[in-house]
Amino acid sequence: MLKISRKLLISATGRNSPQTQRFVSKVNLQGILPPITTPFNDDESVAYDKLSHNLNIWNSINFRGYVVQGSNGEFPYLTPDERVNVVKHVKKNIPDNKVLVAGSGCESTSATIEMTMKMGDNGADAVLVVTPSFYKNQMNSQALMKHYVKVADASNMPVILYSVPGNTGINIPLEALAELSQHPNIIGTKESGGDVTRIGEIVRLTKQHDFQVIAGSAGFMYAAYVVGAVGGVCAVGNILGKQVVDLHHMIMDGRWDDARELQHRLIAPNSAVTAKYGVPGLKTAMAWYGLYGGSPRYPLQQLTEPQVLDLRKILVDSGFL
Amino acid sequence: MLKISRKLLISATGRNSPQTQRFVSKVNLQGILPPITTPFNDDESVAYDKLSHNLNIWNSINFRGYVVQGSNGEFPYLTPDERVNVVKHVKKNIPDNKVLVAGSGCESTSATIEMTMKMGDNGADAVLVVTPSFYKNQMNSQALMKHYVKVADASNMPVILYSVPGNTGINIPLEALAELSQHPNIIGTKESGGDVTRIGEIVRLTKQHDFQVIAGSAGFMYAAYVVGAVGGVCAVGNILGKQVVDLHHMIMDGRWDDARELQHRLIAPNSAVTAKYGVPGLKTAMAWYGLYGGSPRYPLQQLTEPQVLDLRKILVDSGFL
Amino acid sequence: MLKISRKLLISATGRNSPQTQRFVSKVNLQGILPPITTPFNDDESVAYDKLSHNLNIWNSINFRGYVVQGSNGEFPYLTPDERVNVVKHVKKNIPDNKVLVAGSGCESTSATIEMTMKMGDNGADAVLVVTPSFYKNQMNSQALMKHYVKVADASNMPVILYSVPGNTGINIPLEALAELSQHPNIIGTKESGGDVTRIGEIVRLTKQHDFQVIAGSAGFMYAAYVVGAVGGVCAVGNILGKQVVDLHHMIMDGRWDDARELQHRLIAPNSAVTAKYGVPGLKTAMAWYGLYGGSPRYPLQQLTEPQVLDLRKILVDSGFL
Amino acid sequence: MLKISRKLLISATGRNSPQTQRFVSKVNLQGILPPITTPFNDDESVAYDKLSHNLNIWNSINFRGYVVQGSNGEFPYLTPDERVNVVKHVKKNIPDNKVLVAGSGCESTSATIEMTMKMGDNGADAVLVVTPSFYKNQMNSQALMKHYVKVADASNMPVILYSVPGNTGINIPLEALAELSQHPNIIGTKESGGDVTRIGEIVRLTKQHDFQVIAGSAGFMYAAYVVGAVGGVCAVGNILGKQVVDLHHMIMDGRWDDARELQHRLIAPNSAVTAKYGVPGLKTAMAWYGLYGGSPRYPLQQLTEPQVLDLRKILVDSGFL
């Protein structure tokens, strides 16, 4: 894995941790990292062979790496052991030059720290830490800052923040992001909410701190890039990986007309496998691209037949099937 | 524990489970069951001795029983083992005539079933199953019905549904409730949203099925009772247990003026230890009543000094301190 | 019209108005006041003859009075002249013992004052003033208090506050209500949001000030009464007026079982002609009760045929057709 | 005024209007059109002299034109006569080459049509028609489509759709936009919600129909442009007009780094005079740029002193004061 920078890490908040100094590698997130699905067998066990099959296909695409156990990985439905084992399995099945970002967020700070350490011990290059969200009213700037500082202080790996309000009802407030971006172990944020004004403001507030802002969906990827996002963690990359990588390069290369056209084509398919049909939709579509989708775990439901037809039509109409 | 009825259980949905027939006890929820807090030591470990202390005090109040690991029990912050051990400990510290309802809800159906069975094996009389909520867009009637039917089919104990939209963003839809109320193992629902029109409609839709509707907060308890709720699972009962039990009896006995006045007095304290200051507020207040509150687990934050003063003032102004 | 009390009026806020003293009649709102629809001819003109026809029927019911140009009166679709003329027409067609409450709320304070005065000059006994709502972010306690104080200072009639968050996205904050309840010209509030905890708290906060809290919908009327509401302004009263009046009396007389049963029966019909099908649904149903409904004004759309059938089924299933 | 295209107009929906054919000029919206504030004297009367003063300053900026009575014009607080007179006054005070877009939206379809005609008779080149919003539950695709088709059929001027969910709670659904874009009199939409995925999808769905998508705020202007928006109606243009015009040209000229930097600098000031402090904030800031701001109409409140200081600091920190 490419190490692009090193900086002296000093705990940002003396109160919360021992004053340790260490050198930690920073991970470069510039590029596309699909948040891969977790395949299950019919009995709901993890289908490791199918995961290998999918990775084998994905490895031929010019991805920057993978996000394992983002929202599309059904991480809330995995046991702690399964979370670790899936990461370990992915590590064994991807080349060394691919970044492996592992979701380690849990509701409690202590469980998040424990999961973070395990992810690091099992091959992750960085962790993605979703906001705790059950006690929404209490998850203010102060609580979220303390949570992330504690996790980042404890972590032996770079930490990526993660706001996904569609699932959690929570965005990390801007002032908390500005503060957290100064922590040497916090290297970026994944923004899945699609509010590009917010994304632009995050870039502005954090730009002195070598902080990487990642678009959390392909639907607003081009827009996020022009205001300073550097990478994309896009569900639709599971099925249209090459196209999402192309979009990244078009923008990087300044091919604006191509970028706009491809961005337009990606919006409807992306919405179909996220907001509209979610993980069940994404898994259904995977089969049409030679990948193993399979069923989601309960209580997620497989698509109905009319939903399958609608999803297929959206992909056909966009020229992707 | 009082067994008030027996009925022949037949799986409501043949598709989802083997056609078993069994006799299961129904649990009477008429009365007050405080959703007790989980006490922690300073190192965040569960303070079992403090839990015993609290239960010893609560046992002297005329509660119908206890809810262990409702939202106020910080269940999302407990490990699976801790969840079970806390229930086991409560069982040992309460008299036989108190109902023990244990929260067993998890995000996945399979984890919920596993936790449900463990709760039954460790002393629970019934389980309270909160709606899964991470994949909000997908948690429609169909998904929720299948989830609850699978859990109820598998359970050897009565199941209580649980909608708490303030935490989850989800209410079980009325049509799903009407359907689920017919399942022999599903004996009621805890409604924490405070929409009394909805509560009235649930009572109407389920009244042929011996289905118990429980008010999930003291703020609207009197109102919920007049439209047919039969019990209350009220956070404020941790500190004002006698008063909440009094309110129950005033309503039962038709002492309307007393009920109205007490209901009025309870609203502000109740809001203070729920919506306004949450579990940290409730735990802070517990100390003022001889109970052990202690700190919540991270990322929940202890109240600031001005918040403590405000909370105290609310209790004093209401005449409860 | 019954004058139940008199009190010395002194402007609550010296800053905003000349310090005038005057005696103003207080209006008794204890009972049911249906928020009547405004009938239109096919060319969208106001159908005054049809309004007379409807009033003639409604006058035989034991209503406390009428609300003209509540949300169900399509007031945002009427010109200022039409608003006044409809009130004038209603005044001529109802007996003296019925209270006439006229909606006079506009977005600006000055327009609201002007409309309030006109309503008073044309027969209204009190005005109902909905919260301004276009500039939602700015409609905080301070802005709403100043708005209502200015209107109440200027008014020669009692003023009733009106929160209807389903239409406006706004509830008057509790602290503003507590303050405004002390103004001698502000005699009550209509609460349409259905949050009975809030309603109970309003009653508690205002009970020293002879302040009348009105349930804004039949769906939660019984619940609102037990925590202190004294009357109901219920859309479903347009079609099931006698039943809503019966519910009022059952509660007043302490006939709790009857009240609960009738309340249960009213929820589904009430939801159908409010949240579900709105004014078009209410107008459609009116024809089934010998009243003139007619079409709403554009952009409101008449129900589709399947919607009409569903609405009819709801009324039949509830035993009201 | 520049006429950039002509097309044969045929009513898109035969049902709703006579089948007329007419030639109507299409208005080019490519560029910046600030939604100007309406200045008031201390007695709340319209300050026409101050409006002339402001326009005289604004006319020296390379704006494409003006939006009169967008949300920042306090149109809900103006009487119908004032709305027309303000437009008439603006027309007299701007050069012929500036486009004058007048807000003509009202809650009812008939009032909107009447206001549209008056705007056309008094100098408007196009009308901006905000979604009706009081009966939110009923404002579905069908209702909104019929509303806009009726207005566009009746209008002798181009019509611009307008979604501003922060004020109205409503976005015109995508399928309705796709349909309405085919109406020969509907030339574009102003999108103020900031969801750039939606904006991209609107561009894609309407691009065969010579339909202009306008960014409704400077906060996401650059992002909106790269997915196909062609102009900006930006509140902050009242005070930072030259800068917003510069941003337009930087994007048009492909000066991406400059564009990104300026976009970043504009986000905080833009948020301050829109979401954070609204029209009162914008009017306060105007005085710092030689413009007349004055007080908003009640119930909008002037900023408090701490708010003024905060606003000033935001502008200073951004380098704009």
Side-chain angles (χ1 to χ4, degrees), chain C residues 235-246:
Chain C
V236 79
N238 279 274
I239 54 170
L240 302 174
K242 192 185 166 310
Q243 289 85 343
V244 181
V245 171
D246 282 350

PDB file of all heavy atoms in Angstrom, chain C residues 235-246:
ATOM      1  N   ALA C 235     -62.415  18.922  12.134  1.00  0.00           N
ATOM      2  CA  ALA C 235     -62.847  18.859  10.743  1.00  0.00           C
ATOM      3  C   ALA C 235     -63.968  17.852  10.546  1.00  0.00           C
ATOM      4  O   ALA C 235     -64.940  18.108   9.832  1.00  0.00           O
ATOM      5  CB  ALA C 235     -61.659  18.517   9.852  1.00  0.00           C
ATOM      6  N   VAL C 236     -63.829  16.709  11.210  1.00  0.00           N
ATOM      7  CA  VAL C 236     -64.820  15.658  11.000  1.00  0.00           C
ATOM      8  C   VAL C 236     -66.203  16.084  11.512  1.00  0.00           C
ATOM      9  O   VAL C 236     -67.228  15.492  11.141  1.00  0.00           O
ATOM     10  CB  VAL C 236     -64.344  14.329  11.642  1.00  0.00           C
ATOM     11  CG1 VAL C 236     -64.572  14.317  13.133  1.00  0.00           C
ATOM     12  CG2 VAL C 236     -64.966  13.114  10.971  1.00  0.00           C
ATOM     13  N   GLY C 237     -66.228  17.135  12.309  1.00  0.00           N
ATOM     14  CA  GLY C 237     -67.499  17.700  12.752  1.00  0.00           C
ATOM     15  C   GLY C 237     -68.350  18.241  11.620  1.00  0.00           C
ATOM     16  O   GLY C 237     -69.565  18.402  11.769  1.00  0.00           O
ATOM     17  N   ASN C 238     -67.739  18.535  10.484  1.00  0.00           N
ATOM     18  CA  ASN C 238     -68.531  18.934   9.320  1.00  0.00           C
ATOM     19  C   ASN C 238     -69.518  17.849   8.914  1.00  0.00           C
ATOM     20  O   ASN C 238     -70.613  18.142   8.457  1.00  0.00           O
ATOM     21  CB  ASN C 238     -67.608  19.223   8.116  1.00  0.00           C
ATOM     22  CG  ASN C 238     -66.980  20.608   8.139  1.00  0.00           C
ATOM     23  OD1 ASN C 238     -67.570  21.578   7.667  1.00  0.00           O
ATOM     24  ND2 ASN C 238     -65.775  20.712   8.701  1.00  0.00           N
ATOM     25  N   ILE C 239     -69.099  16.583   9.053  1.00  0.00           N
ATOM     26  CA  ILE C 239     -69.972  15.494   8.616  1.00  0.00           C
ATOM     27  C   ILE C 239     -70.555  14.690   9.780  1.00  0.00           C
ATOM     28  O   ILE C 239     -71.627  14.132   9.654  1.00  0.00           O
ATOM     29  CB  ILE C 239     -69.254  14.526   7.636  1.00  0.00           C
ATOM     30  CG1 ILE C 239     -67.936  13.998   8.233  1.00  0.00           C
ATOM     31  CG2 ILE C 239     -68.998  15.212   6.289  1.00  0.00           C
ATOM     32  CD1 ILE C 239     -67.304  12.861   7.415  1.00  0.00           C
ATOM     33  N   LEU C 240     -69.829  14.594  10.866  1.00  0.00           N
ATOM     34  CA  LEU C 240     -70.292  13.804  12.014  1.00  0.00           C
ATOM     35  C   LEU C 240     -70.438  14.712  13.232  1.00  0.00           C
ATOM     36  O   LEU C 240     -69.956  14.411  14.327  1.00  0.00           O
ATOM     37  CB  LEU C 240     -69.316  12.649  12.297  1.00  0.00           C
ATOM     38  CG  LEU C 240     -69.081  11.660  11.151  1.00  0.00           C
ATOM     39  CD1 LEU C 240     -67.997  10.650  11.509  1.00  0.00           C
ATOM     40  CD2 LEU C 240     -70.386  10.929  10.781  1.00  0.00           C
ATOM     41  N   GLY C 241     -71.093  15.842  12.997  1.00  0.00           N
ATOM     42  CA  GLY C 241     -71.185  16.851  14.046  1.00  0.00           C
ATOM     43  C   GLY C 241     -71.868  16.338  15.307  1.00  0.00           C
ATOM     44  O   GLY C 241     -71.394  16.574  16.423  1.00  0.00           O
ATOM     45  N   LYS C 242     -72.966  15.664  15.121  1.00  0.00           N
ATOM     46  CA  LYS C 242     -73.697  15.180  16.292  1.00  0.00           C
ATOM     47  C   LYS C 242     -72.822  14.238  17.123  1.00  0.00           C
ATOM     48  O   LYS C 242     -72.794  14.324  18.362  1.00  0.00           O
ATOM     49  CB  LYS C 242     -74.968  14.441  15.847  1.00  0.00           C
ATOM     50  CG  LYS C 242     -75.926  14.176  17.002  1.00  0.00           C
ATOM     51  CD  LYS C 242     -77.125  13.355  16.600  1.00  0.00           C
ATOM     52  CE  LYS C 242     -77.825  12.845  17.881  1.00  0.00           C
ATOM     53  NZ  LYS C 242     -76.864  12.201  18.825  1.00  0.00           N
ATOM     54  N   GLN C 243     -72.092  13.383  16.452  1.00  0.00           N
ATOM     55  CA  GLN C 243     -71.259  12.420  17.164  1.00  0.00           C
ATOM     56  C   GLN C 243     -70.125  13.115  17.930  1.00  0.00           C
ATOM     57  O   GLN C 243     -69.799  12.732  19.048  1.00  0.00           O
ATOM     58  CB  GLN C 243     -70.654  11.397  16.185  1.00  0.00           C
ATOM     59  CG  GLN C 243     -71.661  10.410  15.616  1.00  0.00           C
ATOM     60  CD  GLN C 243     -72.395  10.948  14.381  1.00  0.00           C
ATOM     61  OE1 GLN C 243     -72.393  12.156  14.109  1.00  0.00           O
ATOM     62  NE2 GLN C 243     -73.032  10.058  13.651  1.00  0.00           N
ATOM     63  N   VAL C 244     -69.551  14.129  17.334  1.00  0.00           N
ATOM     64  CA  VAL C 244     -68.466  14.830  18.022  1.00  0.00           C
ATOM     65  C   VAL C 244     -69.018  15.577  19.239  1.00  0.00           C
ATOM     66  O   VAL C 244     -68.397  15.612  20.307  1.00  0.00           O
ATOM     67  CB  VAL C 244     -67.702  15.774  17.060  1.00  0.00           C
ATOM     68  CG1 VAL C 244     -66.563  16.468  17.783  1.00  0.00           C
ATOM     69  CG2 VAL C 244     -67.149  15.006  15.856  1.00  0.00           C
ATOM     70  N   VAL C 245     -70.203  16.151  19.077  1.00  0.00           N
ATOM     71  CA  VAL C 245     -70.859  16.807  20.218  1.00  0.00           C
ATOM     72  C   VAL C 245     -71.181  15.761  21.307  1.00  0.00           C
ATOM     73  O   VAL C 245     -70.991  16.018  22.505  1.00  0.00           O
ATOM     74  CB  VAL C 245     -72.130  17.560  19.773  1.00  0.00           C
ATOM     75  CG1 VAL C 245     -72.922  18.048  20.980  1.00  0.00           C
ATOM     76  CG2 VAL C 245     -71.758  18.727  18.858  1.00  0.00           C
ATOM     77  N   ASP C 246     -71.629  14.597  20.874  1.00  0.00           N
ATOM     78  CA  ASP C 246     -71.887  13.521  21.844  1.00  0.00           C
ATOM     79  C   ASP C 246     -70.614  13.174  22.616  1.00  0.00           C
ATOM     80  O   ASP C 246     -70.655  12.978  23.830  1.00  0.00           O
ATOM     81  CB  ASP C 246     -72.369  12.243  21.119  1.00  0.00           C
ATOM     82  CG  ASP C 246     -73.823  12.324  20.702  1.00  0.00           C
ATOM     83  OD1 ASP C 246     -74.515  13.282  21.131  1.00  0.00           O
ATOM     84  OD2 ASP C 246     -74.267  11.458  19.923  1.00  0.00           O
TER      85      ASP C 246
END
